[in-house]
Amino acid sequence: MRTKIVAGNWKMNKNFHEGLELTSEITGMVNDEINGNVEVVLIPTYIHLNAISQLTQGSNKISTGAQNCHIENSGAYTGEISAAMVAAAGCKYCLAGHSERRLFNNETNSVLAKKVDAILANNLSPIYCCGETLEERNAEKHFDIIGSQVKEGLFHLNNEQILKCVIAYEPVWAIGTGVTASTAQAQEVHAYIRTSLTEKYGIDIASQIRILYGGSVKPDNAKELFSQADIDGGLVGGAALQSRSFVDIVKGAV
Ligand code: 13P
């Protein structure tokens, strides 16, 4: 059985005070209301990570992650943050290849493969994001696009390394739009990703890897999405910025 993950990607939202407040609320609610086996991950902006990691230590269900990292551990890269620094801030996870970074920061699969290496080298788990645009889906290219993103970003890893990875399928057309992929559409892509993992790594390994869905996950659609055979939780944006809606989504995973 794969333990489900519900991760909140706060993107560029919440100042420091608001971030601490949201974390305290979520930690309290998770401790009081969530009994089942689920991992909750908070992914705030870098400069809140240290304090938020410390605040979440009161709950064995909650950990933290960063939204991105640089491929090098240190050096003359003004404005960048390394995976080593993310690890030192108490994180367990680091996103790689969110569609907003692919789009606004020109992150390619080959650069992302190096980010995944840097993340793993620092004993963090990558949450590797993939997903097609609306144009690509309409042209029925989504399986090709997602297949290349997953293969080029992850398939250089050995068995031990791939087992530390989490994959997030986030159709670009569902992010922040209120248009969620149907459960059938999401499950179809998740099954495709798991089949690709099986072809490369074998069924024993593929069946252990968590694949999350992201894109307009809300309290009223979370349970149905997370109950699909190959959907192991969610990567939540907008609805993760409010404690009640986020924890209600977490409930959909238990
Ligand atoms: P929304 O939940 O706001 O659609 O964002 C999804 C996302 O991009 C999470 O990484």
Side-chain angles (χ1 to χ4, degrees), residues 31-47:
N31 284 346
D32 291 348
E33 301 174 25
I34 307 294
N35 295 314
N37 201 16
V38 58
E39 270 190 77
V40 177
V41 187
L42 304 183
I43 311 182
T45 186
Y46 291 123
I47 58 170

Side-chain angles (χ1 to χ4, degrees), residues 4-21:
K4 288 199 165 53
I5 298 178
V6 177
N9 173 12
W10 296 3
K11 308 191 180 183
M12 198 173 72
N13 293 294
K14 301 289 176 190
N15 65 29
F16 187 59
H17 171 74
E18 291 164 345
L20 293 186
E21 197 171 69

Side-chain angles (χ1 to χ4, degrees), residues 102 109 129-151 168-174 181-182 184-193 196 213:
R102 290 178 185 266
N109 294 332
C129 306
C130 59
E132 80 286 2
T133 62
L134 187 58
E135 244 181 2
E136 289 161 348
R137 178 164 279 265
N138 287 341
E140 296 186 3
K141 288 187 186 149
H142 47 297
F143 290 119
D144 287 348
I145 296 290
I146 295 156
S148 326
Q149 289 170 337
V150 170
K151 284 172 195 155
Y169 168 56
E170 299 201 303
V172 177
W173 48 271
S182 70
Q185 283 173 322
Q187 166 57 27
E188 186 184 33
V189 173
H190 283 233
Y192 170 77
I193 294 170
S196 305
Y213 169 79

Side-chain angles (χ1 to χ4, degrees), residues 9 11 98 100 170 174-177 214-218 235-239:
N9 173 12
K11 308 191 180 183
H98 191 282
E100 287 148 17
E170 299 201 303
I175 295 178
T177 58
S216 298
V217 177
K218 300 278 180 300
L235 181 56
V236 187

